[in-house]
Amino acid sequence: MNSNTHNLFKISTIILFISISLFHFTKSPQTLTLTPKSPRTNYIVRFTNYKHAHHHKKYLEHNTKKKFNGSSNWEWIDRNNAASRFPTDFGVVSVDDEAVNSVVEEFQRLEMVKDVTVDSSYQLRNLLGGNEKVFERIGAFSDAKKRPGKIFTSMSFEDNQTVEWRRELLSHKSQVTSLFGADGLWSKGYTGGKVKMAIFDTGIRSDHPHFRNIKERTNWTNEDTLNDNLGHGTFVAGVIAGEDAECLGFAPDTEIYAFRVFTDAQVSYTSWFLDAFNYAIASNMDVLNLSIGGPDYLDLPFVEKVLELTASNIIMVSAIGNDGPLYGTLNNPADQSDVIGVGGIDYNDHIASFSSRGMSTWEIPHGYGRVKPDVVAYGREIMGSKISTGCKTLSGTSVASPVVAGVVCLLVSVIPESERKQILNPASMKQALVEGAAKLSGPNMYEQGAGRVDLLESYEILKSYKPRASIFPSVLDYTDCPYAWPFCQQPLYADAMPVLFNTTILNGMGVIGYIESPPVWHPSNEESNLLSIHFTYSDIIWPWTGFLALHMQIKEEGSQFSGEIEGNVTVKVYSPPGLGETSFRHSTCVLHLKLRVIPTPSRSVRVLWDQFHSIKYPPGYIPRDSLDVRNDILDWHGDHLHTNFHIMFNMLRDAGYYIETLGSPLTCFDARQYGTLMLVDLEDEYFEEEIQKLRDDVVNTGLSLVVFGDWYNVDTMVKMRFFDDNTRSWWTPVTGGANIPALNDLLAPFGIAFGDRILNGDFSLNDELIKYASGTNIVKFPSGGFVHRFPFYDSSESGATHSFLAGGKDNADSAILGLVEVGGSRIAVYGDSNCLDSSHMVTNCYWLLRKILDFTGKNVKDPILFSNSVKLETSLHQDDDQLPSRRTDLNFSTYSAVLGKELICRSDSRFDVWGTKGYGLQVRGRNRRLPGYKAIDLGMGLNSSSDISISKSPKVVDRSKENSSGNKFLGLLYRDDLDAPVVFPSHWLVPAAVGVLGILLLINFWRIRQKRRRRRKGSNSSGRFSNL
């Protein structure tokens, strides 16, 4: 055997060995994840009534016995805790993973079963790691990976900075209690006596020297201890009821009930909370503090149990979150109207940078959020009890929350015990707090709520309190800036979209209430009749709270009016009789309005913001816009002008633009009123009627269009999916940073399309440095337009492969900014919204947006943007089959307001199209067409210098036949409904191919040896095959 043959044999043997190794040792990561150590998963079964646990257990066993023939694919889990002696409305069962679907379906079929959900675990973040360990603010995600447990934002933390106000505070030997005047109530004998305070946290030690009245300690975890081994629960209890001279609490005589709901590993489960909540209800707690929170307000078992808890007359206080200074970052349950949500301030009465900001985002995108937090309190460098003895400082809204909880305990003790349940409830306590609060100068309503808690003012209110209903906020004053931001930032004017103001009804008369008659607007003078208000409100006010939303428009006859409009809105509320009463309780709520009105601005400076097509977390996994942000992977801040785009909103107002919000489809606005329609960071699809109308608006009505896209790459989205150990399900991105396939459909009539690259890097334009953070590229644009290109790194899956093959470099210029004229209209597209979004912005591009709007609204062309060097002589083109396409491996209609839904104009559109399909479309049996709305004429008004082929009809996409970025098998490999282990071809295909290659090489080696043997044999005989 010569050396070449010998080497070939070695190679083939090695390859065969590798292939065998791959078969034996390479496993699908999905399969590994889907096959946990335990073959069972815990589920919460909620029932429609309360019974003892053994009754619920027998009910399930009896009604599923025939279905499963006595098989043990599920079992009841006994919960031996303090609540087990009381009736319950839920049970926990352990279900075989392989039988999950059949068992859950059978349970849900039963009449007495309300629903079945996974027993999600909670993870308490940023507590005290050990006795004295300094910890960082860490959220639910780290390095783009989800940590175990329910999604929570950061909790209280220790400041490393030296702060002047702390030195001043300590030098005067002051206490946070004295800053609220607690000693004034102590001197009157009010110290929190006979107030039952539930602290849901990490427990407390029974012999702690700082507490005189630890009434009961209960453990709801799977650990056999009642003690606090972390220190957070002890600190919270110390702020509320500590009696150490160095770190006094507010109500030292309060009865402490310590609910240990978190383990030493800082983990909890929904079922633990549900049991603990039920026990708090059964034990008649007065106040409950919960210093936790997260963005998932759709965790229904948890949220609904909080509603039941407050309905049971337990006053809940909760931290609003530590995700400031970002807007739209309120945490649940503090964002619920029945809970007192607390923000944080420092000792200079400045809103703490860490304190989360409003508005609430439950109502977005099809409505408007409520004012939260309710109140603020000191939350930086607060003194509290250490884990065993002594004091220390912590900061965070989870510190401000027990400050308010301590205030509440002190206020509860003011009311005689025999009268407390008749007077005090979650609504009356919130009324006392918000009406007594001191409004701070500087912060707006979404930063401070009603203002800083004022203990003594609230005390005076409660002393003479009579059950009543009220509205919060009770005043909307456009002259009170900045408190009334964003309303005071932009006056009202005729022909505008309605301005929505969402208020909370607080009903101190009873847990349930009703609106007696529709709300009424009472103008204070003749000019105030120019205001038209439509109202939407709660049919039932429960528990203790409801909503009243104002939809405000100026009538057409006020188009030239300039001045103030003033008056009151009244709404009458009634509740059932109280204890010992025979007649219903009645109350009239008053909301005072003082509004500024200006003449209708010119069309050129009016901008319409599309909110309707925005999708956020929850309910789906909507990924972040910048993939560089690896510790906050969800898009949950609302994407609203008044949340994470609030700085941009202020900038545009300062530049003289008027921005209105459209929360309905694109058919629901009159394009003749606006110079520009802005589409920024949108994730939803579009109705075909929307595509048609927008094309007509641009071609015939002179409407201009500004589009800011974001990354979209199916391969990258697939890679971002993960298995959540809490919900036992796959989390996969619903879309990219923006829904590029949908935007391309919308832009198709104008010959414009985005690609699927994920571009990152810096570039300079007009001597301004801009960060391009996970933006996309422009792949189609008409000739005659102006396109700016720059070199970037492509971090998409396909781009990374190309970069690797090119030696780690990708210097090809990518088109990212395009501007073009279309007749009397103008279109501008840009591939990244990160520079407008204040959530995770690196550098802003507000100056670029202003120049773009000057172009689209006023036809002012900046010489840099419209340089001849960037003018397209020939169109930028890419075949349609090469454009990004939709994923087919998920049901997008679950998250969409378009797919499978009816096109209808909602209550945030102009009053005249409410409940219709909009302008220029068939509307409930009649055709509504705008006066003077031109018929489509494709041959007129087009700019000859722009080679744009306006399609005669919008592109209709059969989404059921569309593939995912050319990867036709991705739907098989990465589908979402993976309830059982699946064999993935991608994980046996590679070793199989390698194995086949090894076998072929061995066969080839064997054939060569056989031929050589025959040759040697022939040479020895006749030599006829010597040349073979």
Side-chain angles (χ1 to χ4, degrees):
M1 181 184 300
N2 60 28
S3 60
N4 291 336
T5 304
H6 180 70
N7 290 335
L8 182 63
F9 176 77
K10 282 184 176 181
I11 293 172
S12 61
T13 304
I14 290 172
I15 292 176
L16 184 60
F17 176 76
I18 291 174
S19 67
I20 294 172
S21 300
L22 286 171
F23 273 115
H24 282 280
F25 301 110
T26 301
K27 296 182 180 180
S28 163
Q30 285 88 344
T31 304
L32 284 175
T33 308
L34 281 168
T35 310
K37 293 180 181 179
S38 173
R40 288 176 176 255
T41 302
N42 290 353
Y43 282 80
I44 295 173
V45 181
R46 292 200 294 169
F47 298 94
T48 56
N49 54 12
Y50 277 81
K51 289 186 177 180
H52 284 281
H54 65 273
H55 289 296
H56 290 313
K57 177 182 178 182
K58 288 182 179 179
Y59 175 77
L60 292 181
E61 289 175 341
H62 175 73
N63 286 280
T64 61
K65 188 174 182 180
K66 293 182 180 179
K67 173 71 175 180
F68 301 117
N69 298 319
S71 63
S72 58
N73 49 18
W74 72 272
E75 64 177 343
W76 183 272
I77 297 179
D78 291 320
R79 309 188 308 280
N80 298 317
N81 52 46
S84 58
R85 67 179 186 269
F86 295 102
T88 181
D89 62 339
F90 78 99
V92 180
V93 296
S94 178
V95 183
D96 282 341
D97 286 351
E98 295 181 355
V100 163
N101 288 339
S102 59
V103 172
V104 170
E105 288 176 4
E106 186 64 18
F107 284 164
Q108 291 178 329
R109 184 187 61 82
L110 301 179
E111 182 180 358
M112 301 303 294
V113 172
K114 181 178 181 180
D115 57 31
V116 183
T117 56
V118 175
D119 186 5
S120 304
S121 65
Y122 287 70
Q123 185 86 8
L124 189 61
R125 303 298 181 201
N126 302 324
L127 303 185
L128 304 178
N131 288 352
E132 301 297 331
K133 187 183 296 182
V134 176
F135 52 91
E136 299 176 354
R137 296 166 64 184
I138 303 173
F141 295 90
S142 178
D143 195 26
K145 296 180 180 179
K146 184 181 178 297
R147 296 172 178 270
K150 177 180 168 66
I151 294 176
F152 272 96
T153 58
S154 58
M155 300 294 289
S156 56
F157 56 94
E158 290 183 85
D159 278 328
N160 295 321
Q161 58 184 337
T162 301
V163 287
E164 184 176 347
W165 60 77
R166 182 188 174 193
R167 292 198 300 268
E168 181 180 350
L169 180 72
L170 296 181
S171 67
H172 287 84
K173 296 183 179 180
S174 184
Q175 297 282 345
V176 68
T177 52
S178 64
L179 296 178
F180 287 96
D183 46 355
L185 292 187
W186 296 340
S187 65
K188 298 177 184 295
Y190 304 124
T191 56
K194 297 185 178 181
V195 177
K196 302 171 79 171
M197 176 72 221
I199 300 174
F200 276 56
D201 221 291
T202 58
I204 194 172
R205 298 187 178 183
S206 61
D207 57 351
H208 199 291
H210 288 190
F211 305 101
R212 67 174 70 151
N213 202 1
I214 298 178
K215 202 72 173 178
E216 183 180 35
R217 299 182 303 150
T218 52
N219 176 38
W220 307 89
T221 72
N222 55 10
E223 295 178 340
D224 188 19
T225 181
L226 293 166
N227 289 333
D228 179 9
N229 298 317
L230 293 170
H232 194 267
T234 304
F235 185 92
V236 168
V239 173
I240 296 171
E243 61 174 352
D244 186 88
E246 186 183 355
C247 48
L248 283 171
F250 282 85
D253 283 323
T254 290
E255 299 176 0
I256 296 176
Y257 291 78
F259 289 69
R260 189 177 188 270
V261 291
F262 288 96
T263 68
D264 290 344
Q266 306 174 25
V267 172
S268 184
Y269 286 84
T270 299
S271 59
W272 298 353
F273 268 97
L274 300 185
D275 265 334
F277 282 149
N278 279 342
Y279 186 67
I281 295 171
S283 303
N284 294 314
M285 293 292 114
D286 294 310
V287 187
L288 188 151
N289 183 80
L290 192 59
S291 287
I292 66 169
D296 187 4
Y297 51 76
L298 293 181
D299 183 3
L300 292 184
F302 184 87
V303 169
E304 291 180 359
K305 185 58 68 174
V306 170
L307 293 172
E308 183 182 345
L309 187 94
T310 57
S312 301
N313 208 2
I314 297 176
I315 301 168
M316 178 178 281
V317 183
S318 188
I320 207 69
N322 291 338
D323 294 286
L326 306 179
Y327 279 61
T329 54
L330 302 178
N331 284 197
N332 178 265
D335 62 347
Q336 294 182 211
S337 60
D338 56 318
V339 175
I340 299 171
V342 182
I345 58 175
D346 61 32
Y347 292 116
N348 292 324
D349 282 346
H350 297 152
I351 300 297
S353 59
F354 54 75
S355 186
S356 290
R357 271 71 164 169
M359 56 186 169
S360 64
T361 58
W362 294 48
E363 301 83 357
I364 300 174
H366 312 304
Y368 195 78
R370 289 167 287 107
V371 174
K372 281 276 185 172
D374 294 301
V375 290
V376 292
Y378 298 118
R380 190 185 285 281
E381 294 286 313
I382 301 299
M383 295 289 288
S385 302
K386 287 185 179 180
I387 194 169
S388 56
T389 186
C391 303
K392 68 176 302 176
T393 62
L394 283 181
S395 298
T397 57
S398 59
V399 173
S401 178
V403 167
V404 174
V407 166
V408 169
C409 286
L410 202 51
L411 290 173
V412 171
S413 68
V414 168
I415 307 300
E417 189 177 7
S418 60
E419 302 176 19
R420 285 178 187 171
K421 291 300 181 181
Q422 284 72 50
I423 294 178
L424 292 179
N425 54 60
S428 62
M429 182 57 71
K430 185 180 287 192
Q431 286 172 328
L433 291 175
V434 300
E435 292 170 13
K439 188 168 68 176
L440 305 177
S441 60
N444 64 56
M445 64 176 71
Y446 296 130
E447 293 175 316
Q448 64 168 311
R452 184 191 66 238
V453 167
D454 190 321
L455 172 61
L456 299 182
E457 284 293 326
S458 297
Y459 162 71
E460 293 296 331
I461 292 172
L462 280 180
K463 275 201 313 181
S464 58
Y465 182 82
K466 300 296 182 184
R468 56 184 169 80
S470 62
I471 293 176
F472 172 68
S474 60
V475 176
L476 177 59
D477 185 354
Y478 272 45
T479 66
D480 184 13
C481 243
Y483 180 77
W485 182 94
F487 302 97
C488 63
Q489 189 80 359
Q490 180 167 298
L492 297 176
Y493 47 86
D495 296 319
M497 286 291 165
V499 171
L500 273 64
F501 183 51
N502 199 355
T503 68
T504 299
I505 299 175
L506 302 174
N507 181 25
M509 298 185 297
V511 64
I512 190 168
Y514 306 91
I515 303 296
E516 187 172 323
S517 57
V520 179
W521 161 235
H522 305 275
S524 62
N525 51 43
E526 187 65 27
E527 289 80 6
S528 297
N529 284 311
L530 293 174
L531 177 65
S532 176
I533 307 179
H534 286 203
F535 302 95
T536 53
Y537 48 87
S538 302
D539 295 327
I540 299 176
I541 302 171
W542 182 91
W544 310 105
T545 62
F547 76 92
L548 170 64
L550 282 63
H551 307 251
M552 300 180 290
Q553 281 183 195
I554 299 299
K555 299 175 182 177
E556 291 186 8
E557 52 264 37
S559 61
Q560 298 302 316
F561 176 75
S562 179
E564 293 181 356
I565 283 179
E566 196 165 359
N568 292 324
V569 170
T570 60
V571 58
K572 295 181 179 180
V573 176
Y574 71 96
S575 286
L579 186 65
E581 298 176 348
T582 57
S583 60
F584 278 78
R585 294 178 167 183
H586 295 265
S587 183
T588 300
C589 306
V590 179
L591 168 63
H592 182 69
L593 299 181
K594 187 176 183 180
L595 316 174
R596 286 197 304 122
V597 182
I598 61 171
T600 303
S602 66
R603 179 185 187 185
S604 62
V605 295
R606 291 181 62 182
V607 178
L608 187 63
W609 172 273
D610 180 5
Q611 189 68 43
F612 176 78
H613 296 94
S614 175
I615 305 177
K616 61 179 176 57
Y617 171 87
Y621 176 8
I622 310 300
R624 63 198 180 279
D625 299 324
S626 173
L627 298 181
D628 290 336
V629 180
R630 305 183 65 80
N631 293 331
D632 188 11
I633 73 169
L634 299 174
D635 189 356
W636 63 282
H637 298 167
D639 285 346
H640 193 279
L641 285 171
H642 303 155
T643 57
N644 48 310
F645 288 98
H646 70 283
I647 299 178
M648 182 201 73
F649 169 77
N650 289 340
M651 179 279 300
L652 292 179
R653 284 295 302 120
D654 291 341
Y657 286 95
Y658 295 83
I659 310 96
E660 302 169 31
T661 302
L662 176 65
S664 292
L666 299 181
T667 59
C668 302
F669 76 97
D670 180 357
R672 300 171 306 164
Q673 301 293 336
Y674 301 94
T676 304
L677 172 67
M678 280 188 70
L679 311 175
V680 179
D681 185 24
L682 299 178
E683 295 88 2
D684 211 339
E685 295 288 332
Y686 298 89
F687 292 103
E688 293 177 11
E689 294 91 336
E690 292 183 281
I691 299 175
Q692 177 71 55
K693 178 179 179 292
L694 183 63
R695 169 184 167 275
D696 297 345
D697 288 341
V698 172
V699 174
N700 296 315
T701 339
L703 178 71
S704 292
L705 192 61
V706 171
V707 181
F708 276 69
D710 259 305
W711 71 272
Y712 183 95
N713 183 278
V714 171
D715 293 335
T716 298
M717 284 186 274
V718 167
K719 187 178 179 181
M720 291 171 63
R721 68 197 301 270
F722 60 83
F723 188 78
D724 179 27
D725 63 324
N726 308 317
T727 58
R728 304 292 302 170
S729 61
W730 283 100
W731 283 46
T732 185
V734 173
T735 182
N739 189 342
I740 293 302
L743 284 174
N744 284 347
D745 286 351
L746 197 68
L747 295 171
F750 314 110
I752 300 173
F754 290 109
D756 65 353
R757 304 184 76 185
I758 303 178
L759 305 177
N760 293 273
D762 300 325
F763 70 97
S764 181
L765 186 64
N766 198 28
D767 295 327
E768 296 277 356
L769 184 67
I770 301 179
K771 173 72 174 179
Y772 206 70
S774 305
T776 188
N777 58 317
I778 300 171
V779 295
K780 293 181 71 173
F781 209 78
S783 64
F786 296 80
V787 174
H788 294 261
R789 311 167 191 255
F790 301 94
F792 295 109
Y793 174 74
D794 183 4
S795 63
S796 65
E797 289 299 294
S798 55
T801 302
H802 172 76
S803 177
F804 173 78
L805 296 175
K809 296 182 179 179
D810 186 5
N811 292 321
D813 285 357
S814 299
I816 62 168
L817 172 62
L819 308 103
V820 67
E821 293 183 88
V822 184
S825 304
R826 290 157 290 277
I827 299 176
V829 295
Y830 185 71
D832 183 24
S833 71
N834 183 262
C835 58
L836 301 179
D837 185 344
S838 57
S839 288
H840 300 295
M841 181 189 296
V842 179
T843 60
N844 74 71
C845 60
Y846 299 143
W847 66 269
L848 176 61
L849 177 60
R850 285 197 302 268
K851 291 182 180 295
I852 287 175
L853 289 177
D854 287 344
F855 165 62
T856 58
K858 307 173 185 177
N859 199 19
V860 175
K861 299 179 181 178
D862 180 81
I864 301 296
L865 298 184
F866 290 88
S867 170
N868 286 331
S869 62
V870 296
K871 187 173 183 179
L872 286 179
E873 298 300 329
T874 59
S875 62
L876 189 63
H877 179 74
Q878 183 168 299
D879 292 339
D880 288 348
D881 59 2
Q882 297 298 314
L883 296 176
S885 53
R886 294 168 176 83
R887 295 185 63 175
T888 57
D889 53 342
L890 55 81
N891 183 11
F892 191 75
S893 63
T894 304
Y895 320 100
S896 172
V898 175
L899 297 184
K901 311 300 190 301
E902 180 185 4
L903 189 157
I904 191 168
C905 299
R906 303 165 184 257
S907 58
D908 49 9
S909 54
R910 295 279 300 171
F911 298 162
D912 54 344
V913 293
W914 276 23
T916 73
K917 292 183 179 297
Y919 296 100
L921 298 171
Q922 187 66 29
V923 183
R924 288 189 177 178
R926 69 183 190 276
N927 185 30
R928 181 182 183 84
R929 182 174 294 277
L930 289 176
Y933 197 81
K934 298 180 181 179
I936 300 174
D937 185 353
L938 301 180
M940 62 180 297
L942 298 183
N943 191 307
S944 59
S945 65
S946 300
D947 182 17
I948 304 177
S949 176
I950 304 295
S951 305
K952 291 188 177 180
S953 62
K955 180 180 178 181
V956 179
V957 180
D958 186 352
R959 299 184 178 104
S960 65
K961 298 179 181 179
E962 196 166 0
N963 296 314
S964 304
S965 287
N967 297 316
K968 298 181 180 179
F969 56 89
L970 285 179
L972 171 63
L973 296 184
Y974 300 103
R975 65 177 185 261
D976 284 326
D977 52 340
L978 298 177
D979 295 321
V982 178
V983 178
F984 292 89
S986 59
H987 299 288
W988 57 256
L989 190 59
V990 173
V994 174
V996 171
L997 178 60
I999 293 172
L1000 290 175
L1001 287 172
L1002 284 175
I1003 293 173
N1004 190 48
F1005 167 75
W1006 178 81
R1007 292 180 62 188
I1008 291 174
R1009 291 198 63 185
Q1010 289 299 105
K1011 290 179 180 179
R1012 287 183 174 175
R1013 286 176 180 172
R1014 288 196 299 269
R1015 186 171 59 208
R1016 292 193 194 99
K1017 186 176 180 180
S1019 300
N1020 293 336
S1021 57
S1022 62
R1024 284 182 295 174
F1025 303 107
S1026 59
N1027 294 326
L1028 182 63

